[in-house]
Amino acid sequence: MLCKIGEIEVWRILELNGPYLTPEELFPFDASEAREAINAHAPSQLCPSTGGLILPIQGFLLKTSAHVILVDSCVGNDKDNAHPDWNQRSGKRFMASMTAAGISPRNVDYVLCTHLHTDHVGWNTKLEDGRWVPTFPNARYLVPAADEQHFRDGAGSSYAQSVLPVIEAGQAEMVTPGHMLGDNVTLISTPGHTPGHVSVLLRSGSSEAVITGDALHTTAQCWHPDWHFKYDIDGPMAVASRRRLLEESSEADRKVLGSHFALPSIGRVFAKGDSFRWEEQ
Ligand SMILES: [Zn+2]
């Protein structure tokens, strides 16, 4: 188990932990300072051999008293993907992590997508007899409505392989920020990376935590929340969401679980002047 938030068990479901693009490629408007800042604040996230940013691809499995909830489903197997490490995979690590958490696919009650990018929806479906079918046969899939509309209009392979089959199976539910899943889990609005992007607030007793999704990609963005990430669809909106999330997390003394932060990807943020300090836990 990764941690407990009050009575909620949080398990890490890790699929990949390898280098991706370089800081200069990922933060093109802030390229001159990005590598130095990441080296100073998140050195374990820089790959010594490729110089790329190491990007864990992970979901978080939540066990509340009422539900088993998977937040984000990573890249998946057999999917078409422009990124070679993510293309046509046949990996076993994701499902092994689920098993280690004591969960089989049929035990999952909800799959919650923070947004519909390819590295967050892959295990929504699996290939069976040449057809994409929901991996989690008894789950409701919660999909941010604004993202569904956006990605349906673009209709790339990720939507076709990992989102549409779940909708066609009648297992998807379009949701908006503020949506509550039982007493412990609330979707909070963090648009910008994608139009309907949500982060996930966990509350149990006096404990709070937030799963960032892609509101941030490295803890260096706590110190530099104004950096523009290459794949933020609306950069200024993403910056505003990131700042608000960091402010609220700092004020509420929440644990922060960063979906793409260097492992262990868990800590707290503290306001420091115009930015924030990350402290790993
Ligand atoms: Zn991502």
Side-chain angles (χ1 to χ4, degrees):
M1 188 173 22
L2 177 61
C3 65
K4 268 189 108 172
I5 306 300
E7 296 299 311
I8 308 168
E9 288 186 17
V10 182
W11 293 75
R12 182 199 313 286
I13 307 297
L14 185 68
E15 183 180 40
L16 279 160
N17 189 33
Y20 188 56
L21 303 181
T22 65
E24 291 80 2
E25 290 167 322
L26 290 171
F27 301 101
F29 297 104
D30 308 279
S32 60
E33 62 175 340
R35 178 171 298 276
E36 198 178 331
I38 293 169
N39 205 22
H41 297 305
S44 67
Q45 205 168 1
L46 278 179
C47 175
S49 53
T50 69
L53 194 75
I54 294 171
L55 212 62
I57 306 294
Q58 61 188 331
F60 295 102
L61 187 87
L62 313 177
K63 296 184 189 177
T64 73
S65 58
H67 300 124
V68 174
I69 303 162
L70 174 65
V71 179
D72 285 342
S73 68
C74 304
V75 170
N77 279 352
D78 303 304
K79 303 287 162 108
D80 295 326
N81 202 295
H83 184 47
D85 291 349
W86 299 356
N87 187 44
Q88 293 294 324
R89 288 177 48 75
S90 54
K92 297 196 175 355
R93 199 172 185 181
F94 179 93
M95 276 303 166
S97 296
M98 296 285 289
T99 303
I103 295 296
S104 83
R106 58 181 46 258
N107 301 134
V108 175
D109 299 308
Y110 289 96
V111 177
L112 200 170
C113 308
T114 59
H115 63 298
L116 297 187
H117 274 161
T118 184
D119 55 321
H120 296 259
V121 296
W123 280 100
N124 279 6
T125 59
K126 61 178 179 178
L127 197 56
E128 203 173 79
D129 300 327
R131 282 179 57 234
W132 295 108
V133 298
T135 306
F136 306 99
N138 301 316
R140 301 290 297 163
Y141 288 70
L142 304 187
V143 175
D147 262 31
E148 196 281 322
Q149 185 176 359
H150 175 83
F151 287 97
R152 184 204 319 151
D153 291 346
S157 64
S158 180
Y159 181 87
Q161 296 180 339
S162 303
V163 180
L164 187 59
V166 173
I167 297 172
E168 289 178 342
Q171 288 181 236
E173 191 175 324
M174 301 309 145
V175 291
T176 51
H179 184 90
M180 284 194 75
L181 217 178
D183 297 331
N184 302 117
V185 179
T186 309
L187 307 189
I188 55 177
S189 178
T190 45
H193 181 63
T194 62
H197 188 281
V198 293
S199 301
V200 182
L201 180 60
L202 314 182
R203 277 202 188 108
S204 174
S206 59
S207 302
E208 285 194 13
V210 68
I211 298 172
T212 62
D214 283 12
L216 301 93
H217 288 77
T218 163
T219 54
Q221 283 173 290
C222 300
W223 277 268
H224 298 276
D226 296 341
W227 282 359
H228 285 225
F229 185 72
K230 177 185 172 80
Y231 296 113
D232 289 343
I233 288 173
D234 184 329
M237 189 185 283
V239 167
S241 291
R242 189 175 303 126
R243 279 200 166 278
R244 195 170 57 248
L245 185 70
L246 289 166
E247 272 162 21
E248 289 172 359
S249 300
S250 163
E251 282 167 12
D253 195 28
R254 291 175 189 153
K255 272 201 167 103
V256 176
L257 288 84
S259 301
H260 288 306
F261 287 1
L263 300 181
S265 324
I266 182 166
R268 288 181 198 271
V269 291
F270 301 90
K272 188 177 190 321
D274 196 31
S275 65
F276 301 84
R277 178 171 59 83
W278 168 260
E279 209 167 273
E280 189 175 292
Q281 290 183 349

